[in-house]
Amino acid sequence: MAIDLAGDMSPSKDFFLAEKPEDPQFRERASYWISDDKGLVGLPRVGIEAVSESWDQRGIQVNLGFSSGRTAIVRGAGAGRSPVDADGVCRTFAAGGLEFRCVEPFRSLTLAYEGEALDTTAAKLAEGDYKGAQVPLHIEVALTCAAPPWVSGTLSEDAKELFDKGFAGAFISPRYEQLCTARGSVRFGSEEWAFDGTGLRIHRQGLRDTQGFWGHCWPSALFPSGKGFGALAFPELPDQPTYNEAFVFDGERMIPAVLVDAPWLRRLQPNGEDVSLTLRTKEGDVRIEGETVLSACMPGGLPEFPPALQQAGVRYRWDGEEAFGMMERSIPVELLED
């Protein structure tokens, strides 16, 4: 059976905003997580964020990680560009040396970066050490969508209620994510890697409120058979329900689920951490083993994002299959273990 890769969404939903929104806090954000199918190199988040009040200067993040622990990062802002093609459609979202392009909605996308990156390690980043050399970095990746998009807050009545009326919708904002296959190359200094792998792409448009955020766990992966999964959960609170939404993709269907044993962030360990998890569906539990293989960490305490944060590449195993995917986790700094 052919997969509806758009999930009944209009192609126009996958294009970018051509003009600055009227609301000064309205934002557009796109990000990509790329995993080499050998687990040697990964891009555990490459992203652009454009906020209306600073539309021409957009936030840039590039993470490049290696299984050796070496990590390269780009942080800062770059001149924003959202050019309109000859047919009046904006397919390009760019900032500085980073550019995303929607080649065909919900089917084909590209990312490219040309610039410099800090040459460091995940261990140094976890300590808040941002010293190091700036090294030329070139990235080219083409992504082909492999599953329907997951639109947050749509898979269950509980998730919809919390998304529409609770904190979840205000923090997450209208967004969708989509599992992909990927092929690309990375040149860092004098070294170069070409790879086949998988990816996750995210597109967000709307208002967002991150005040009072208390942590999250967000894992995802696509397996060689075409199966995949994704989840996003916030830690439980004693006095109110909290958001927990997930899916299992069996190669044809998006099956609603919840994450029942989220591996919450407890320490900023660069790699080698057990992050296994269980997804509960009406058809039964799905157990997926996981271990972090590379990462970029932030020790927290920053005005723009106070919690500690880890953005990681993970080796997952599910029913005899192995795949490399992503996991992002955060937690208030005071809850980190030594």
Side-chain angles (χ1 to χ4, degrees):
M1 184 175 69
I3 301 171
D4 178 9
L5 291 174
D8 295 325
M9 296 178 69
S10 167
S12 63
K13 290 288 188 180
D14 214 20
F15 297 137
F16 300 108
L17 299 176
E19 298 180 355
K20 173 182 174 180
E22 292 185 4
D23 189 319
Q25 295 305 310
F26 194 99
R27 63 187 66 196
E28 178 159 49
R29 188 175 189 178
S31 60
Y32 299 78
W33 300 68
I34 309 299
S35 300
D36 166 24
D37 60 11
K38 296 181 180 178
L40 301 177
V41 61
L43 298 165
R45 193 176 188 274
V46 178
I48 299 173
E49 182 168 66
V51 183
S52 179
E53 63 182 358
S54 55
W55 193 247
D56 296 328
Q57 284 292 311
R58 300 172 179 176
I60 297 173
Q61 180 183 3
V62 179
N63 293 330
L64 170 63
F66 300 90
S67 58
S68 64
R70 187 184 186 190
T71 304
I73 64 167
V74 180
R75 302 286 188 274
R81 306 182 302 284
S82 297
V84 175
D85 292 337
D87 59 0
V89 173
C90 179
R91 296 178 175 84
T92 301
F93 188 48
L98 182 58
E99 180 176 291
F100 300 147
R101 183 161 178 82
C102 175
V103 179
E104 185 177 358
F106 300 107
R107 288 186 177 275
S108 179
L109 310 104
T110 63
L111 76 88
Y113 177 74
E114 187 72 49
E116 293 189 330
L118 175 68
D119 189 0
T120 182
T121 67
K124 288 183 178 180
L125 293 176
E127 297 172 353
D129 181 350
Y130 295 97
K131 298 185 293 293
Q134 293 289 326
V135 176
L137 174 62
H138 175 85
I139 301 170
E140 291 186 6
V141 182
L143 298 99
T144 302
C145 299
W150 167 30
V151 181
S152 297
T154 63
L155 294 181
S156 71
E157 289 301 319
D158 288 345
K160 178 175 174 53
E161 182 174 359
L162 286 169
F163 195 89
D164 291 345
K165 300 178 182 180
F167 174 84
F171 173 76
I172 298 171
S173 79
R175 49 91 79 183
Y176 54 87
E177 64 182 61
Q178 193 170 19
L179 291 165
C180 306
T181 60
R183 172 169 289 182
S185 63
V186 173
R187 185 172 66 249
F188 189 41
S190 61
E191 300 178 84
E192 187 167 1
W193 300 263
F195 61 86
D196 290 313
T198 57
L200 183 73
R201 52 78 62 121
I202 301 94
H203 190 192
R204 183 195 312 268
Q205 291 177 334
L207 300 174
R208 192 180 192 195
D209 181 4
T210 61
Q211 297 300 311
F213 187 52
W214 69 98
H216 75 302
C217 180
W218 172 28
S220 182
L222 176 70
F223 286 77
S225 66
K227 297 192 306 182
F229 76 94
L232 179 57
F234 300 161
E236 294 183 0
L237 296 173
D239 56 349
Q240 60 180 296
T242 189
Y243 176 78
N244 185 329
E245 187 177 20
F247 72 88
V248 173
F249 181 61
D250 67 1
E252 295 181 354
R253 301 175 300 154
M254 298 283 285
I255 303 169
V258 293
L259 184 57
V260 297
D261 56 354
W264 305 113
L265 184 65
R266 298 301 183 195
R267 64 188 67 83
L268 291 176
Q269 181 174 326
N271 55 39
E273 183 177 359
D274 184 352
V275 289
S276 300
L277 55 93
T278 303
L279 301 170
R280 180 155 295 161
T281 78
K282 289 184 177 180
E283 300 176 12
D285 286 358
V286 174
R287 180 64 176 172
I288 300 173
E289 297 176 353
E291 179 185 10
T292 55
V293 296
L294 53 86
S295 71
C297 302
M298 295 171 58
L302 301 177
E304 63 270 25
F305 196 81
L309 176 71
Q310 182 191 53
Q311 295 166 318
V314 178
R315 177 191 290 108
Y316 290 107
R317 293 188 175 94
W318 176 15
D319 283 346
E321 283 193 279
E322 180 176 280
F324 292 88
M326 58 78 67
M327 180 175 287
E328 181 179 81
R329 300 180 293 169
S330 66
I331 191 173
V333 173
E334 61 272 18
L335 296 181
L336 280 176
E337 299 175 357
D338 292 336

